[in-house]
Amino acid sequence: MLGGIDLDVLTDHYAAIVWSTDTVPAIVGHSVGGLIAQRLITANAGRAAVAVSAAPTNDVPLPAPPARLLPTAPSRPRHPTTSHASPSCD
């Protein structure tokens, strides 16, 4: 619930906007908008969806921020054909 408006009402509101367009749009949303974008694409109301830092669904916690993961992540081996030198621009 956001200020007395539940997620179904918000999703229905934006679905009506999407379905009123002549072209099927790509949907982008941040936070709760990302959650709505996911719900819209699940309802086939859009060509694609991008959810940026979407609010978690069904009480699933968000993953730890990357900064916490870096110190414990194993280093990736370099591909054998990768050169350490920068390419020449001659």
Side-chain angles (χ1 to χ4, degrees):
M1 237 349 146
L2 294 171
I5 300 174
D6 70 6
L7 197 53
D8 289 333
V9 172
L10 285 171
T11 303
D12 290 344
H13 171 76
Y14 288 108
I17 293 170
V18 169
W19 287 323
S20 73
T21 63
D22 293 333
T23 336
V24 181
I27 303 162
V28 178
H30 175 261
S31 189
V32 172
L35 178 57
I36 292 170
Q38 291 176 46
R39 291 174 57 122
L40 288 171
I41 204 69
T42 301
N44 293 322
R47 162 188 336 244
V50 177
V52 181
S53 297
T57 59
N58 299 329
D59 298 324
V60 176
L62 293 173
R68 288 188 190 163
L69 300 177
L70 290 177
T72 59
S75 61
R76 287 178 31 175
R78 282 190 183 266
H79 190 278
T81 61
T82 303
S83 171
H84 295 287
S86 298
S88 174
C89 295
D90 297 330

